[in-house]
Amino acid sequence: MPSLQIDSVVKSYDSFAAIKGVSFTAEPGEFVVMVGPSGCGKSTLLRSIAGLETITSGAIRIDGRDITHAEPSDRGVAMVFQNYALYPHMTVAENMGFALKMAGRPKAEIAAAVAKAANILRIEEHLHKTPKQLSGGQKQRVAIGRAITRAPHVFLFDEPLSNLDAALRSQMRVELGRLHAELRATMVYVTHDQTEAMTMATRIVVMNAGRIEQVGAPLDLYNRP
Ligand code: ADP
Ligand code: ADP
């Protein structure tokens, strides 16, 4: 069964359709990278999957379950944003455990999940700091850690490395590759960076003007004569 099924999704703002009928399927463990010019609808599609936008028509399924009308917290997805979107007044550990706390999980389970994610991302020494005490790269690790603790079926990344400098971007590309291999999770990753698409994708989706224009393996799309 596919991890993610997007079926004829349309998203309109008043009379303008940002997504004009997109269908797409991601199999378990795929690392799908979505590329395309600014304004083509990548972020809107990702936010629609996360439930941060209400779609106009169509359906979205995660592991076979129709989540088109589900709450963001009940979709089995976790999203990582370009601007990190950490809660400034909470510590790193509280940020990472917040979704589980809201879901009413026991303290011991939350602590274990936070410790595991912190270990994977090598941020154990920062757990008691607040976000303003962290560098950009550390903040993005915390944001990724916060997604991991939710144990989502599908990870959604919206240009997560765009605010980092070149050296850090290349380091984080390797980290995300390691994370993908370790968690064997399905990931959908939006970027305008061709290097990220080439190095991380198992499949690339090219969007243009609210539609999917092409889907293919990285080498098929970028190494054509
Ligand atoms: P991308 O992520 O590919 O840069 P977006 O998904 O952010 O593109 O935007 C797609 C289109 O939808 C753009 O034309 C944008 O201006 C428009 N759009 C996005 N959000 C809104 C909104 N809240 N209201 C109206 N138009 C919007
Ligand atoms: P609030 O403003 O009430 O604190 P949040 O910003 O935490 O709300 O989240 C709004 C909705 O998005 C909630 O239903 C929450 O469960 C969900 N949510 C929060 N973080 C993420 C994330 N990383 N990925 C997906 N959904 C999230």
Side-chain angles (χ1 to χ4, degrees):
M1 186 194 298
S3 281
L4 170 66
Q5 280 170 281
I6 297 169
D7 188 10
S8 309
V9 165
V10 172
K11 171 63 187 176
S12 299
Y13 297 105
D14 298 319
S15 59
F16 172 73
I19 309 285
K20 300 187 175 79
V22 162
S23 296
F24 179 76
T25 299
E27 298 302 324
E30 273 202 273
F31 197 124
V32 177
V33 176
M34 301 197 134
V35 298
S38 178
C40 73
K42 307 181 293 294
S43 187
T44 302
L45 186 58
L46 215 57
R47 292 171 57 80
S48 298
I49 299 168
L52 305 175
E53 303 281 353
T54 306
I55 60 175
T56 307
S57 62
I60 302 171
R61 286 180 200 81
I62 302 281
D63 287 347
R65 183 167 76 99
D66 188 335
I67 53 118
T68 311
H69 304 291
E71 289 297 317
S73 56
D74 183 36
R75 293 188 166 221
V77 306
M79 185 149 162
V80 177
F81 301 91
Q82 179 177 355
N83 64 1
Y84 324 123
L86 299 176
Y87 305 111
H89 55 289
M90 293 183 198
T91 66
V92 166
E94 286 164 349
N95 264 283
M96 288 168 66
F98 187 66
L100 295 181
K101 189 175 166 193
M102 287 296 104
R105 308 306 306 170
K107 270 190 179 157
E109 180 190 324
I110 298 172
V114 168
K116 186 177 169 209
N119 175 264
I120 290 173
L121 289 158
R122 302 187 184 119
I123 48 176
E124 290 108 323
E125 70 268 38
H126 305 304
L127 281 173
H128 298 292
K129 295 181 183 170
T130 55
K132 68 172 185 297
Q133 295 173 280
L134 303 176
S135 70
Q138 288 163 347
K139 280 184 216 170
Q140 197 51 291
R141 282 169 193 266
V142 175
I144 296 167
R146 185 174 58 176
I148 292 175
T149 58
R150 298 164 67 99
H153 297 271
V154 178
F155 284 84
L156 305 171
F157 293 96
D158 194 0
E159 307 233 14
L161 308 186
S162 299
N163 284 342
L164 307 179
D165 65 42
L168 209 48
R169 275 207 301 279
S170 100
Q171 187 188 331
M172 288 303 290
R173 282 203 302 273
V174 175
E175 291 268 341
L176 283 168
R178 184 172 63 85
L179 192 69
H180 178 240
E182 203 166 314
L183 300 177
R184 298 167 192 273
T186 309
M187 299 185 166
V188 181
Y189 188 105
V190 164
T191 184
H192 61 258
D193 183 321
Q194 190 170 320
T195 309
E196 287 176 24
M198 279 298 285
T199 54
M200 298 197 295
T202 55
R203 213 145 53 101
I204 295 177
V205 172
V206 183
M207 285 189 68
N208 193 18
R211 292 197 168 83
I212 291 179
E213 199 162 65
Q214 254 185 315
V215 180
L219 289 176
D220 291 341
L221 289 180
Y222 287 125
N223 271 7
R224 289 217 174 120

